[in-house]
Amino acid sequence: DLELVCGQEVLESLRKDINRWKANYERATWDKIKEYINIDKLRKDYFTDKTSNLNTKEKKPIKTRYAGFNKEFDEQLKTQKSYSVPDSTLRQELINKNIDIVLPMYRKFVNKFKNVQFTKDRGKYHKYDDNTLHEKMGQFFR
């Protein structure tokens, strides 16, 4: 019906705009968080392969990445909860895309350091398990 009223060209232009806005949203929302958890970009000389008896210098980058992720994710959680996406299909699509962007990267990050003794209080840094992260992201736009 809308196509008859507006025409195919207008609808195609709107679809392109929506896709561009989605891409901008993804970059603005996740780029900073991805900097903390993207282990493909870890400098090999900056992170140790040791799992125990790490010195302070070896522990600090791991703690910094976990703390940075936690801070940024908490901010995004607060921000995203304040957004309204009235269209239920678009809302679920955005939630699923967000989960697809962050969760695999977070799992890889956690797996890299799960056996590394970088702190006595792991819970201070590893605030989210997979299920909790997934659940929190499902609360976006509500």
Side-chain angles (χ1 to χ4, degrees), residues 55 71 79 86 88 103 119 132 140:
N55 64 38
K71 178 180 175 276
T79 300
S88 62
L103 205 51
T119 181
T132 305
F140 285 9

Side-chain angles (χ1 to χ4, degrees), residues 29-102:
T29 303
W30 300 117
D31 277 2
K32 199 166 185 179
I33 285 176
K34 286 166 37 177
E35 287 177 26
Y36 290 111
I37 61 173
N38 188 350
I39 66 167
D40 296 329
K41 294 188 177 184
L42 296 181
R43 289 181 27 211
K44 302 296 182 219
D45 60 329
Y46 196 58
F47 287 88
T48 182
D49 288 326
K50 295 186 332 188
T51 58
S52 61
N53 299 321
L54 277 70
N55 64 38
T56 304
K57 185 178 178 183
E58 293 167 326
K59 293 177 184 179
K60 186 173 170 95
I62 301 168
K63 290 179 178 182
T64 299
R65 291 210 176 231
Y66 265 109
F69 171 82
N70 292 335
K71 178 180 175 276
E72 291 299 324
F73 185 77
D74 289 345
E75 286 181 19
Q76 281 303 329
L77 181 59
K78 182 179 175 186
T79 300
Q80 301 298 319
K81 280 182 167 183
S82 72
Y83 292 163
S84 176
V85 180
D87 182 275
S88 62
T89 303
L90 178 59
R91 180 175 54 247
Q92 195 57 51
E93 182 183 318
L94 289 171
I95 288 170
N96 291 341
K97 180 68 173 175
N98 288 335
I99 290 169
D100 290 344
I101 290 169
V102 176

